[in-house]
């Protein structure tokens, strides 16, 4: 089985992107330490690994790292902090800051210190009302991992030198300039050029669409708040259009209401007709955020957002051991004492590197770092895979197959994960291009799933760590069952899988990329068979998680499904339902979800119009799709 090592992954991406060790590790660790990681003499912790990958332009959401219980506590604490920041709940942020359990000796000290300095700055401003202290702490936080820079450096961008920065380091520095400008501590020109420099760097270095969505809208908002008077209306519109385009294409919600507020304002100032449309969408997004319990106003603290995907090591080990039918004595023999292994499974101790490698071999765990668990260290395989997806979205099937052939050429196809992922995507492409029918699609995906998921083995353990691929394959099978009118079977299939995952201490959001479609489809199937209240319950839990994770497409899907369920139940207040339909219409319009937009308009006409031939003037939803 193909085993992926973090050091090998760092080395392969760094070499393929032609980044020097000095450039990559500046401010984080010594060149010698990075060499030791790459040579597998040491293993970087999760914080450091993600920072390295981000500095090379990779999306941390594409990587999953297995953590010890000690690291897990730190990440759960950090997740609670981000949730409180999203809701601007400063009292909770203050309580969490003083929680000493947050410190984790197994995680990178510099990155932890940086986060604590950042939180200290937030509290200095929001609780102590001391802007100068807040800015000083932010500067210290930046310096913790980002060295002083002089000259143009390799990127031709003033002030950046030859230093690489991760997305959260860029966001932290952008927050420094924003706060300095808002409090009048930094000069206007310094703020303007500082933020413009960071935007130019992001354009030049960050190629991942999701990472751009994380950074660009927030920095544009920061510029518009601090430096509006230094820009012409045309310059502002160019920045706003860029941010809107990135958010539409990535289906994200980062600072979206504020971007729409500025954009509609500048469109109106320049006399453009689209101002009305974007103003309606702005109001709809504000209402949707507030209905879900989140602040819609610009939240500058979220410029520094450093969440990652994690799996809990102790639970993962136990699940793999029980499925393999082995005892703790059999696994630990020749590796460590049985008592030691028992402590590893309960999370009371983290394994040393050699112990973990030996356990991985004995349990035959193959673990990839791409979010689909694609097992490779070849960065070009990721690039070709993204090109395959883009060609498939454009219905360019011949070109898509060429890109998939390049992916397969770079993979170890003996790996079950690689065979599943490639097979799953090829089956999907064949189905949507009408080269195979429903039954063949179902049979092919079922065969792929059975390569790793055997019912009799999964049943042996209460907890099962489904991979991203296994989750998506379950969803594909349930969808075909739905198309065939076998909703009850599809519901059982998905509920069995979800019930396994619910037993993990790691929350659903860490499986979100696979699970969001699963949960949404489960609600659809429950609605199909008349279980509208059960479907609505899923959506009421689902929508706030989408907002928390800033997933705009599935916020929109969730609101649309909620509108359908409420129509069937017929128990909602008319004014509340009208508000929901207008939200759904504006959101589907923004993201270009034309089919759903048409459905929502029909519901509006059904409930609030006397006939189907109403004029555009009397229909608040009848504006053209953008």
């Amino acid at each position: 089985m193909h085993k992926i090592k973090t050091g090998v992954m760092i080395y392969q991406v760094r070499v393929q992107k032609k980044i020097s060790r000095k450039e990559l590790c500046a401010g984080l660790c010594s060149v010698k330490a990075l060499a030791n990681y790459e040579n597998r003499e040491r293993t970087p912790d999760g914080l450091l690994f993600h920072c390295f990958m981000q500095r090379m332009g990779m999306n941390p959401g594409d990587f999953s790292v297995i953590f010890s219980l000690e690291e897990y506590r730190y990440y759960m604490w950090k997740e609670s902090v981000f949730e409180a920041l999203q809701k601007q709940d400063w009292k909770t942020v203050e309580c969490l800051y003083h929680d000493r359990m947050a410190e984790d000796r197994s995680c990178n000290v510099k990155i932890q210190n940086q986060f604590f300095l950042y939180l200290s700055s937030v509290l200095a401003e929001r609780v102590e009302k001391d802007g100068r202290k807040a800015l000083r702490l932010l500067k210290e936080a930046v310096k913790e991992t980002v060295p002083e820079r002089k000259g143009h450096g390799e990127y031709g961008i003033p002030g950046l030198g030859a230093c690489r920065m991760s997305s959260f380091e860029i966001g932290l520095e952008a927050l420094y300039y924003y706060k300095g400008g808002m409090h009048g501590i930094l000069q206007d020109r310094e703020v303007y050029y500082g933020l413009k420099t960071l935007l130019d760097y992001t354009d030049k270095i960050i190629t991942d669409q999701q990472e751009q969505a994380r950074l660009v809208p927030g920095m544009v908002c920061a510029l518009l708040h601090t430096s509006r008077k230094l820009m012409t209306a045309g310059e502002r519109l160019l920045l706003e259009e860029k941010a809107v385009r990135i958010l539409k294409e990535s289906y994200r919600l980062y600072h979206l209401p504020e971007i729409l507020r500025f954009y509609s304002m500048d469109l109106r100032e320049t006399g453009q007709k689209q101002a009305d449309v974007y103003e309606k969408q702005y109001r709809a997004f504000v209402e949707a955020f507030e209905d879900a319990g989140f602040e819609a106003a610009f939240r500058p603290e979220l410029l520094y957002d450093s969440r990652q995907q994690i799996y809990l090591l102790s639970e993962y080990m136990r699940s793999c051991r029980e499925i393999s039918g082995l005892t703790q004595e059999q696994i630990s023999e020749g590796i460590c004492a049985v008592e030691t292994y028992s402590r590893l499974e309960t999370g009371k101790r983290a394994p040393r590197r050699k112990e973990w490698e030996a356990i991985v071999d004995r349990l035959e765990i193959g673990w990839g770092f791409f979010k689909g668990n694609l097992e490779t260290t070849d960065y070009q395989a990721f690039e070709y895979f993204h090109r395959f997806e883009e060609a498939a979205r454009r219905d360019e099937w011949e070109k898509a197959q060429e890109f998939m052939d390049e992916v397969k050429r770079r993979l170890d196809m003996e790996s079950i994960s690689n065979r599943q992922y490639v097979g799953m995507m090829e089956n999907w492409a064949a189905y949507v291009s009408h080269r195979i029918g429903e039954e063949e699609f179902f049979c092919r995906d079922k065969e792929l799933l059975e390569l790793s998921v055997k019912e009799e083995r999964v049943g042996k353990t209460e907890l099962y760590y489904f991979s991203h691929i296994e989750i998506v394959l379950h969803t594909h099978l349930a969808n075909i069952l739905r198309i065939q009118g076998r909703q009850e079977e599809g519901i059982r299939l998905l509920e069995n899988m979800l019930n396994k995952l619910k037993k993990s201490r790691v929350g659903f959001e860490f499986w979100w990329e696979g699970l969001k479609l699963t949960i949404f489809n489960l609600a659809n199937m429950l609605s199909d068979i008349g279980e509208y209240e059960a479907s609505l319950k899923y959506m009421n839990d689902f929508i706030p998680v989408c907002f928390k994770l800033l997933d705009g497409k599935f916020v929109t899907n969730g609101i649309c499904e909620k509108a359908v369920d409420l129509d069937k139940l017929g128990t909602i207040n008319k004014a509340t339902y009208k508000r929901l339909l207008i939200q759904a219409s504006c959101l589907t319009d923004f993201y270009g979800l034309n089919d759903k937009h048409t459905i929502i308009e029909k519901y509006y006409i059904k409930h609030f119009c006397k006939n189907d031939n109403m004029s555009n003037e009397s229909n608040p939803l009848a504006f053209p799709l953008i």
Side-chain angles (χ1 to χ4, degrees):
M1 181 164 291
H2 194 69
K3 300 296 189 301
I4 308 297
K5 310 297 182 186
T6 52
V8 176
M9 187 69 169
I10 293 166
Y11 173 79
Q12 292 286 354
V13 177
R14 184 180 64 76
V15 169
Q16 287 174 26
K17 289 201 163 195
K18 298 180 181 178
I19 300 168
S20 71
R21 279 178 176 156
K22 182 179 179 181
E23 190 184 343
L24 178 60
C25 70
L28 288 174
C29 65
S30 67
V31 173
K32 184 178 179 181
L34 177 56
N36 287 338
Y37 295 137
E38 292 185 344
N39 297 331
R40 290 179 50 207
E41 292 174 23
R42 294 173 61 194
T43 303
D45 63 86
L47 284 176
L48 190 56
F49 172 71
H50 276 116
C51 193
F52 282 144
M53 301 313 289
Q54 273 198 323
R55 281 188 169 194
M56 293 188 287
M58 305 291 278
N59 181 351
D62 284 349
F63 300 90
S64 299
V65 175
I66 304 175
F67 286 141
S68 68
L69 192 59
E70 190 175 9
E71 288 174 296
Y72 165 78
R73 288 195 191 101
Y74 174 72
Y75 275 76
M76 289 297 97
W77 168 83
K78 204 170 181 183
E79 191 64 26
S80 299
V81 171
F82 278 119
E83 190 168 353
L85 288 169
Q86 276 183 298
K87 294 183 176 180
Q88 302 207 341
D89 181 353
W90 310 121
K91 286 186 178 179
T92 299
V93 173
E94 189 173 19
C95 289
L96 288 166
Y97 173 77
H98 293 295
D99 181 3
R100 303 323 295 169
M101 284 290 290
E103 293 178 331
D104 180 7
R105 288 165 296 182
S106 64
C107 286
N108 186 273
V109 173
K110 288 174 76 70
I111 298 174
Q112 282 192 86
N113 285 344
Q114 184 178 68
F115 190 71
F116 275 110
L117 284 165
Y118 156 75
L119 277 188
S120 300
S121 171
V122 170
L123 294 172
E125 181 189 24
R126 298 291 187 170
V127 178
E128 299 174 37
K129 310 299 182 185
D130 188 339
R132 289 192 176 276
K133 180 181 177 182
L135 199 66
R136 176 177 54 77
L137 289 165
L138 270 179
K139 189 66 173 176
E140 287 179 27
V142 171
K143 287 181 177 179
E144 192 71 32
T145 63
V146 181
E148 292 287 343
R149 304 178 296 272
K150 294 179 181 179
H152 289 244
E154 295 179 23
Y155 309 119
I157 299 171
L160 285 179
C163 176
R164 280 262 173 174
M165 288 197 293
S166 66
S167 297
F168 57 80
E169 288 168 322
I170 295 170
L172 188 61
E173 189 151 342
L175 185 61
Y176 168 78
Y177 284 114
Y178 170 79
K179 295 293 185 184
M182 292 302 289
H183 289 293
I185 301 169
L186 301 179
Q187 292 183 358
D188 292 348
R189 287 282 171 185
E190 183 182 359
V191 173
Y192 175 73
Y193 285 116
L195 289 169
K196 280 287 288 177
T197 296
L198 291 169
L199 271 170
D200 291 342
Y201 176 84
T202 301
D203 276 347
K204 196 172 182 70
I205 300 301
I206 308 295
T207 55
D208 183 87
Q209 185 187 64
Q210 296 298 322
E211 286 300 277
Q212 285 208 342
R214 185 197 300 257
L215 287 169
V216 172
M219 287 196 285
V220 169
C221 282
L223 258 175
L224 293 169
H225 274 282
T226 59
S227 309
R228 186 177 176 82
K229 63 186 178 183
L230 299 179
M231 295 183 281
T232 65
E235 289 171 326
R236 296 196 301 268
L237 281 169
L238 281 175
L239 286 170
E240 290 153 4
E241 284 166 4
K242 178 180 181 177
V244 166
R245 175 182 54 77
I246 288 171
L247 290 169
K248 282 186 175 187
E249 291 176 356
S250 63
Y251 297 109
R252 306 309 289 185
L253 288 168
Y254 290 104
H255 313 287
L256 179 53
E258 190 71 346
I259 285 291
L260 290 177
R261 183 178 75 84
F262 278 119
Y263 192 33
S264 59
M265 188 164 58
D266 282 326
L267 286 170
R268 193 170 301 286
E269 185 179 316
T270 53
Q272 298 189 44
K273 293 179 181 179
Q274 287 181 323
D276 287 343
V277 173
Y278 282 107
E279 195 170 314
K280 284 180 181 178
Q281 292 177 350
Y282 160 67
R283 289 198 299 267
F285 274 105
V286 167
E287 287 181 355
F289 266 87
E290 291 173 350
D291 289 349
F294 290 93
E295 287 283 338
F298 179 46
R299 292 166 290 172
E301 285 77 17
L302 294 183
L303 282 165
Y304 180 53
D305 181 351
S306 59
R307 295 180 237 200
Q308 290 98 23
Q309 301 263 4
I310 68 170
Y311 288 80
L312 189 52
L313 173 59
S314 55
E315 289 184 352
Y316 189 63
M317 286 171 59
R318 186 189 117 199
S319 174
C320 290
R321 179 182 62 77
E322 289 179 356
I323 288 166
S324 67
L326 298 173
T327 63
Q328 290 187 348
E329 287 81 1
Q330 289 170 311
I331 294 294
S332 61
E333 186 179 354
I335 298 174
C336 59
V338 179
E339 293 79 7
T340 300
Y341 183 84
S342 178
R343 288 174 64 80
L344 299 179
E345 270 199 12
T346 56
K348 293 177 181 176
R349 209 203 91 178
R352 298 183 180 89
R353 181 174 63 85
K354 289 186 177 179
E355 288 174 339
W356 172 234
E357 289 183 358
I359 290 166
V360 162
D361 285 333
R362 190 155 292 174
L363 287 171
E364 296 187 343
I365 298 170
W367 197 253
F369 293 99
F370 193 47
K371 66 184 172 191
N373 297 346
L374 195 65
E375 293 180 355
T376 181
T377 56
D378 190 338
Y379 171 70
Q380 288 184 331
F382 300 158
E383 291 289 290
Y384 278 113
F385 196 84
H386 286 308
R387 290 180 198 174
F388 161 80
E389 290 182 313
E390 287 169 12
R393 276 195 291 269
R394 294 192 299 267
D395 293 334
E396 297 172 355
W397 302 111
E398 210 170 297
K399 191 176 285 187
Q401 189 57 54
E402 289 175 11
F403 290 139
M404 182 54 76
D405 290 341
E406 289 290 343
V407 172
K408 289 193 285 190
R409 196 164 65 81
R410 287 167 168 75
L411 296 182
D412 171 15
M413 294 307 289
E414 292 299 311
S415 158
I416 288 176
S417 289
N418 288 347
R419 283 157 59 195
Q420 283 181 320
Y421 207 40
V422 168
M424 178 178 75
M425 298 309 293
E426 287 186 319
N427 292 347
W428 168 77
Y431 176 64
V432 296
S433 62
H434 308 294
R435 286 181 279 124
I436 62 173
E438 295 161 9
E439 198 58 44
E440 187 174 354
F441 182 41
F442 184 89
C443 292
R444 285 187 183 187
D445 269 13
K446 192 168 186 290
E447 285 177 11
L448 288 173
L449 185 60
E450 288 173 349
L451 290 175
S452 59
V453 178
K454 311 285 186 188
E455 286 302 320
E456 66 276 9
R457 293 172 68 192
V458 175
K460 290 180 180 178
T461 178
E462 185 181 358
L463 174 72
Y464 188 89
Y465 267 73
F466 290 97
S467 70
H468 174 87
I469 306 168
E470 292 164 352
I471 291 169
V472 176
L473 284 169
H474 273 90
T475 307
H476 283 186
L477 296 178
N479 270 341
I480 296 300
L481 290 170
R482 183 189 182 197
I483 291 168
Q484 293 174 340
R486 298 156 63 189
Q487 280 89 342
E488 289 85 354
E489 291 177 57
I491 289 167
R492 282 198 300 274
L493 181 71
L494 296 183
E495 284 184 337
N496 287 340
M497 180 189 69
L498 291 174
N499 287 336
K500 288 285 182 186
L501 289 176
K502 282 178 183 175
K503 294 186 169 60
S504 168
R505 277 174 287 187
V506 177
F508 265 15
E509 52 265 36
F510 295 106
W511 282 277
W512 190 246
E513 283 305 308
L515 278 183
K516 61 187 180 184
L517 191 57
T518 303
I519 296 169
F520 182 71
N521 286 345
L522 179 55
N524 282 170
M525 285 187 284
L526 287 164
S527 188
D528 287 345
I529 62 171
E531 295 286 344
Y532 305 120
E533 289 186 359
S535 173
L536 192 59
K537 185 179 184 307
Y538 270 112
M539 286 302 97
N540 284 335
D541 294 339
F542 176 81
I543 292 170
V545 177
C546 293
F547 272 104
K548 179 183 173 184
L549 300 175
L550 300 165
D551 190 330
K553 184 174 182 178
F554 277 87
V555 159
T556 306
N557 284 333
I559 290 173
C560 289
E561 178 60 27
K562 184 175 178 178
V564 172
D565 290 334
L566 288 170
D567 170 77
K568 301 296 184 185
L569 285 168
T571 57
I572 193 170
N573 174 275
K574 278 274 188 180
T576 304
Y577 192 52
K578 184 175 184 178
R579 170 189 166 102
L580 185 69
L581 288 175
I582 292 174
Q583 280 181 25
S585 182
C586 290
L587 270 59
T588 52
D589 180 41
F590 180 81
Y591 289 117
L593 304 175
N594 300 12
D595 292 342
K596 289 195 184 319
H597 185 84
T598 302
I599 290 167
I600 291 300
E601 191 162 23
K602 286 179 180 176
Y603 276 101
Y604 188 90
I605 291 169
K606 172 184 171 183
H607 286 278
F608 301 105
C609 303
K610 292 179 181 178
N611 59 68
D612 292 356
N613 299 316
M614 56 187 293
S615 67
N616 285 355
E617 288 75 18
S618 61
N619 182 357
L621 308 189
F623 43 74
L625 287 161
I626 295 172

